[in-house]
Amino acid sequence: MSRRQFLKQSSLFSIGILAYPMCGNALQFSSKNDVIIGHNSHRYKVDMNWGNLDVLKTPVKDCHEMVQDSKGRIVLLTNHTKNNIIIYDKSGKLIKTWGTKFPGGHGLTLVKENGEDFLLITDYERHQVIKTTIDGKVVFEIDYPADTGKYNSREEFKPTETTILENGDFYVADGYGNQYITHYNHKGELLNIFGGRGKENGQFLNAHGICYDNRDKKNSSLLISAREMNVLKRFDLKGNYLESIPVPGALICRPVIHKNDIYFAVLKSKNAPNSDSGFLLIMNEKNEVVSCPGATLPEYKNNALEELYQTVRLFQHPHDVCIDDDENIYVAQWNSGQTYPIKLTRV
């Protein structure tokens, strides 16, 4: 079946999981509770029941991002103002909830300071970055960077993500606003600004996610997803552009580094007829895509990655991934009918 025929046919189905025979043995199943997705060494069993809660007591709206704290708990950010933060144990059991004031809660970053956990939350409706304790006490709030001259009003600042360095400095990606990257010290004082909207190497169309890459200790850098451009861009810590890594067909959300690999939720496939056409993407330390759970087997021709697209109707706008210390993946989803995260167990 050609790619065009596959996409046309798959758009006719609305069942929870749709599978076709694929190269690379990407999907095997005996029931909906025994689905294996992924490629090569990164293959996973799907758990659709992990973290499901009583929707009347603990509702979710958009499940935007997830992190694992120092105690091994899984922390979920949702923009439902009854419980913006939901904290699970790794089995999916509810531990606690908090937060009622983050209607645009979008980015969630774990900060470790002197043995204590904090959170950096971006809220694009409040046009702010908020630092809190792990239990929800506000430490500081950062408004739009008015003094830079890059913004005419606070409404133009719609931050989507943060990342933090070892010294406490952090960077903010304004992925839904004017597309600038701002650099602050640990006190929240502005140090630098770079990027902006555009198609040049140092610019972005939807600077959706950012992460600090310190896998190479001598050449640490920033990885920033230009989601609408299907590109991951690398910058040095001063904001100088270094390189672009194309991921054709994949609208990637934030990069998440675990050991030597980079993990992404892919919101959707660029050319798919259905909007809920997302999947996951995993790169190795050489920036090579080695697995795409829920999508085509990644293939390179003449050193260029072939276009990627969804092949399993499993995910609905996956927005972030969290990788635990057992190599399992938790997938938070945006605009998914108020569903809870999906767990993928490494096999």
Side-chain angles (χ1 to χ4, degrees):
M1 181 181 296
S2 71
R3 174 184 172 279
R4 185 181 299 274
Q5 289 172 323
F6 174 85
L7 293 175
K8 180 178 180 181
Q9 186 166 348
S10 66
S11 69
L12 301 177
F13 290 79
S14 60
I15 61 175
I17 297 176
L18 169 66
Y20 285 91
M22 291 172 287
C23 59
N25 200 28
L27 178 66
Q28 302 172 355
F29 66 95
S30 57
S31 72
K32 290 184 180 181
N33 295 320
D34 188 21
V35 177
I36 305 296
I37 58 175
H39 308 94
N40 302 311
S41 61
H42 290 73
R43 301 172 67 248
Y44 303 87
K45 181 177 179 180
V46 178
D47 183 351
M48 301 292 291
N49 298 313
W50 185 92
N52 289 344
L53 302 171
D54 185 335
V55 296
L56 298 179
K57 295 180 179 179
T58 316
V60 294
K61 189 178 178 183
D62 298 319
C63 294
H64 271 134
E65 294 199 344
M66 305 175 77
V67 295
Q68 186 174 28
D69 71 6
S70 296
K71 296 180 179 179
R73 306 179 303 177
I74 306 298
V75 183
L76 168 67
L77 174 67
T78 167
N79 56 10
H80 199 298
T81 52
K82 183 174 180 179
N83 35 236
N84 287 123
I85 294 289
I86 299 175
I87 301 178
Y88 295 96
D89 67 15
K90 286 203 302 182
S91 73
K93 180 181 178 181
L94 176 65
I95 296 176
K96 68 181 300 182
T97 67
W98 60 263
T100 60
K101 298 180 180 179
F102 304 107
H106 187 280
L108 184 68
T109 300
L110 184 71
V111 179
K112 299 180 181 181
E113 293 181 1
N114 301 317
E116 185 176 358
D117 284 355
F118 296 86
L119 297 172
L120 283 175
I121 298 171
T122 64
D123 190 309
Y124 58 81
E125 289 195 17
R126 287 176 49 171
H127 313 285
Q128 286 183 319
V129 179
I130 305 97
K131 182 179 180 179
T132 75
T133 65
I134 197 70
D135 295 320
K137 296 179 181 178
V138 174
V139 177
F140 63 64
E141 298 172 348
I142 294 177
D143 295 312
Y144 80 104
D147 294 342
T148 64
K150 305 294 187 182
Y151 293 83
N152 296 316
S153 67
R154 65 189 296 270
E155 285 73 25
E156 293 182 348
F157 183 60
K158 299 178 181 179
T160 50
E161 192 60 73
T162 61
T163 194
I164 189 163
L165 309 186
E166 290 95 340
N167 67 357
D169 282 14
F170 62 95
Y171 296 78
V172 179
D174 184 21
Y176 290 163
N178 287 1
Q179 308 297 309
Y180 286 99
I181 310 300
T182 43
H183 177 192
Y184 298 86
N185 65 19
H186 72 282
K187 297 179 181 179
E189 299 168 337
L190 183 65
L191 301 177
N192 188 23
I193 186 169
F194 62 94
R197 188 186 308 277
K199 296 182 179 180
E200 300 298 322
N201 284 338
Q203 297 176 314
F204 306 95
L205 295 179
N206 195 191
H208 190 271
I210 183 171
C211 81
Y212 173 50
D213 184 359
N214 65 342
R215 292 173 298 172
D216 182 349
K217 303 299 182 182
K218 295 181 180 179
N219 296 289
S220 56
S221 59
L222 300 170
L223 294 173
I224 305 171
S225 55
R227 192 167 72 181
E228 294 299 322
M229 304 168 79
N230 301 163
V231 168
L232 177 66
K233 296 191 176 187
R234 187 184 301 275
F235 291 76
D236 68 21
L237 301 184
K238 294 182 179 179
N240 298 305
Y241 169 83
L242 298 176
E243 67 170 332
S244 289
I245 305 164
V247 281
L251 276 72
I252 52 173
C253 296
R254 75 159 162 178
V256 176
I257 292 177
H258 178 75
K259 296 183 178 178
N260 289 324
D261 296 328
I262 315 172
Y263 295 73
F264 303 83
V266 177
L267 187 73
K268 60 181 180 179
S269 308
K270 182 177 181 179
N271 295 314
N274 53 305
S275 64
D276 59 336
S277 56
F279 52 92
L280 307 186
L281 186 152
I282 303 167
M283 288 182 184
N284 63 16
E285 68 278 4
K286 298 178 181 179
N287 302 326
E288 299 166 335
V289 180
V290 294
S291 182
C292 289
T296 45
L297 173 71
E299 294 185 299
Y300 287 82
K301 292 185 178 179
N302 300 319
N303 295 319
L305 180 63
E306 294 285 281
E307 181 176 343
L308 303 168
Y309 56 92
Q310 183 193 71
T311 52
V312 182
R313 294 289 295 275
L314 170 64
F315 299 113
Q316 296 176 281
H317 304 110
H319 193 272
D320 189 40
V321 292
C322 172
I323 299 86
D324 69 18
D325 42 15
D326 294 320
E327 308 291 328
N328 305 314
I329 302 177
Y330 305 83
V331 185
Q333 301 191 114
W334 167 81
N335 191 25
S336 62
Q338 303 183 31
T339 60
Y340 297 92
I342 297 172
K343 181 179 180 180
L344 304 181
T345 301
R346 185 83 175 260
V347 298

